[in-house]
Each structure stands twice: as C-alpha cells, then as structure tokens.
Amino acid sequence: MNAGRLLSVENLDVDFGVYRGRSRVLNGISFNVDKGEKLGLVGETGCGKTTTLRALMRVLDPNARCSGKILYTIAGQDKDIYAMNAAEMLRLRRTEMSMIFQDPTSALNPVFTVGEQISSVIRANLVAKQESFSKNSITEKAVKALADVFLPDPERILESYPFQLSGGMRQRICIAMSVATERNLLLADEPGTSLDVTIQDQILRLINTLVETKGMSFILVSHSLGVVRKTSDRICIMYGGTIVESARTADLFASPRHPYTRALLACVPKLGGAGIAEGIPGEMVNYINPPAGCRFHPRCTQAFRACREIQPRPVALGDGHAVSCHLYATGS
Ligand code: SF4
C-alpha cells in the first residue's frame, strides 16, 4: 500500500577514477519509491545495481564522483542526501535505512560475537534517536530480532561467533540486524545468492514477510526477474547503467516492451519449457568507453540508425509504465 513518496532519485550519474580514465557506471538514472512500496531493480551482473544501492547509502568508493539528486522524505520534508553533512548522513543510516549485503560472511565481523554486533546496531539507533536504554533492554531487543528471523535458541546464538554458524544462519543474522530497529527503507543486494537455492528462497520469503509486517519500503536488487517477481510491486530494468524500462510487476510480465526486457524474460527458466535459455548474446557495456546512442545497441536485434547516435529518453506508456527505446518514441 502506498501513502506518499519516500525516495526520489533524479538523473543520478556516478563515475569512478580508473587508471585508463573514468568509468561512467550510472548514466542519468531516475526512479521513485513510495512508502510501503517494494521495488525490484533487475539487470545482468555489472549493470550498476549495486552501485545504485551504495549511492543511496552514500557509501561509494572515495574516488567516485556523483551528480544528480537523491531526495529522502523525512517528516514530510524532502532532504537531499548529497547535501547532508556527515552527522546528518550518519543519523539517516542509523535511523531510516538499512542494507542487507549479498555475502553474509563478509558482512559480519569475525572477531565479535553475534550479540556484540547486533547490540551495537541497536545501541547506535537508540543514541541517534536520543532514547534512553539499558544493557538488558538492548539484549531483549537482540533476542527478539533473532526470534523474528526464526533462529532457534537466540540466547545461544548471541554468544556465538559468525564462523560457528552456517551460511543460512549468518544470512538470517544480517537480516535480523537490518530489522532489529525500526527503519523505513530496506535495501537488499541479491540476498542469499551465495547460498543454495532452497535456502535463498526461504531467505527471500522471510525478508518479504518482515518488510510487509513492518510496513517498510524495500528495494531488492537481483539479476533474476523470476526472483523479484515474487517480492516486488514494481520493477525497474537496468542495462549498462541506465534504467531502460519500469512498470508494475504484473504489467511488465504481461507486456514487456524494451528489447532487453524481452531478452531477459526469455532467460527465465520455465516449468516444462523448451530447454535451457542460452542468455543474451554479446558483451556487457565497457564503462570507460560506452557505446554512443542507446547503450544496448551493439546487442539489440532491432537496432537502427538513430540507436547508434541518440540516447533514447523515457517514453510514458500509461499506468506508470515507461520505456527508453527509439521504437516507442513519437514519430519513429
Ligand atoms: Fe534496440 Fe534501438 Fe531500442 Fe536501443 S533504442 S533497445 S538499440 S531498438
């Protein structure tokens, strides 16, 4: 259920200094997330999904250059994340947003117990909100957070080090840390992909239930349309650092428009389908020297002259469905 805008990304560009020049990874991306809305960000590995999440948290590498606007709504006021000072940004991260990383092993510190790590997140949140607390109240919240992600014997797990637990348990602990305190926006970067498929499915269902129960907004990044279909109200398709199509989930599956979206859909395995999909021929964009015009044109079977020269702008198709492709531009 949507009740107003929470996040608005406007024309975001990100580039990184590399030894051969600058790598232009994000190229003018724009999207919104409403309160309580679940958004899927989908594309091949290397398309800029993780960079987008890191830009939202303002945790990009120090050599990254960022332009555009990211507006976050707090108490009815739009705040530009990149205009915040360090203290304001820290408070935003500790009270409003949290992120689940792809690899639970590297997300947890091996030299501290699970209890110490969850407690420090809870304590930082309470300090940022200027709320009083005691050691017992923090432990109670930590135990509840572990129980919320269905970890058995939470008291014992609080005393454990990450290496003493399985990969699935570590991923649940990362989720518990993200939802242990009240937040409005959860960002998840391919959670559970380092685990086997059945555990990954359980992890996604768990996150989805928690997000819905707590009324959080959610951005799920994945390379798989099949994965985000189950957990997203709306989907943005990314290719080569641009958003090429966005639509409500049902509309995107019923009526995909962009040639890249159609190619991605053809890669989703189907029960009783005709064999294994072969993937999309061609290489991902070279970000140091990206193709002119539409970044997908070297791989697009429908490319024509304008595609090689002019970058397509988003075309609104109605009902929140938009596509950036010359095939849909007026007059084409
Ligand atoms: Fe293909 Fe041209 Fe559309 Fe790009 S703009 S997806 S190259 S038809």
Side-chain angles (χ1 to χ4, degrees), residues 176-229:
M177 287 169 77
S178 308
V179 297
T181 56
E182 261 178 46
R183 309 287 173 113
N184 287 316
L185 177 62
L186 179 65
L187 312 174
D189 188 2
E190 310 227 25
T193 24
S194 56
L195 307 169
D196 70 58
V197 214
T198 49
I199 305 284
Q200 185 191 3
D201 192 53
Q202 286 173 16
I203 293 292
L204 284 167
R205 274 192 277 144
L206 171 64
I207 297 174
N208 196 41
T209 306
L210 287 168
V211 161
E212 286 186 354
T213 310
K214 291 172 184 280
M216 300 168 88
S217 302
F218 180 38
I219 303 180
L220 172 65
V221 149
S222 177
H223 59 272
S224 165
L225 268 170
V227 165
V228 293
R229 182 178 198 168

Side-chain angles (χ1 to χ4, degrees), residues 210-280:
L210 287 168
V211 161
E212 286 186 354
T213 310
K214 291 172 184 280
M216 300 168 88
S217 302
F218 180 38
I219 303 180
L220 172 65
V221 149
S222 177
H223 59 272
S224 165
L225 268 170
V227 165
V228 293
R229 182 178 198 168
K230 289 179 260 177
T231 52
S232 303
D233 303 315
R234 204 154 52 80
I235 294 177
C236 291
I237 304 289
M238 281 190 83
Y239 180 81
T242 59
I243 290 179
V244 296
E245 184 163 6
S246 57
R248 288 203 296 250
T249 303
D251 296 341
L252 190 92
F253 278 84
S255 182
R257 301 299 183 91
H258 197 279
Y260 178 64
T261 310
R262 290 180 175 165
L264 268 186
L265 273 168
C267 296
V268 177
K270 294 170 187 69
L271 274 180
I276 296 169
E278 288 180 2
I280 304 169

